[in-house]
Amino acid sequence: MATFDYADMQATAHELIEEFGQAGVVTRLEPPDPVYGGDPVPTPYPATLVPMAYEARYVDGTVILSGDMQIYISAVGLAIEPTVGDVVNANGAEYAIVAGDPNKYDGITPVVFIVQGRSVA
């Protein structure tokens, strides 16, 4: 049985996100130095992404709130895996990641990152 080429699927997802999406930034707060302390350091990572509002039928008021965004982030060229605690800058607004799915169907290759973003403001 032939194996599926997830790298090809990742490339296709990237092409679609690049065509229909926008440039954005995923910012991660790096912890302070364990010895010297200090404040967490925000580290920005450029990304290509597509932010979309959730359909009304998915907004339940507990897990998904009104104003939450479903954000598709291309895995190509992104140095980190977006996770809870990171902040995504899209549409001129900041969204804290409250849930995410790396879509690693083979357990290795992230095809696309799909995250739930909640407005920081």
Side-chain angles (χ1 to χ4, degrees), residues 33-95:
D33 186 282
V35 175
Y36 298 111
D39 294 328
V41 178
T43 306
Y45 296 93
T48 306
L49 49 87
V50 176
M52 296 185 294
Y54 280 96
E55 292 181 36
R57 64 183 170 157
Y58 296 118
V59 178
D60 60 6
T62 54
V63 176
I64 300 175
L65 306 179
S66 178
D68 282 2
M69 299 290 278
Q70 187 173 30
I71 306 169
Y72 288 72
I73 305 171
S74 175
V76 174
L78 190 58
I80 60 167
E81 182 173 309
T83 188
V84 174
D86 292 345
V87 176
V88 178
N89 188 314
N91 288 340
E94 290 187 334
Y95 299 93

Side-chain angles (χ1 to χ4, degrees), residues 1-14 75-76 103-112:
M1 184 172 160
T3 59
F4 191 80
D5 186 3
Y6 290 101
D8 187 45
M9 194 173 180
Q10 181 189 60
T12 301
H14 175 70
V76 174
N103 288 282
K104 293 182 181 178
Y105 303 110
D106 62 355
I108 302 167
T109 308
V111 173
V112 62

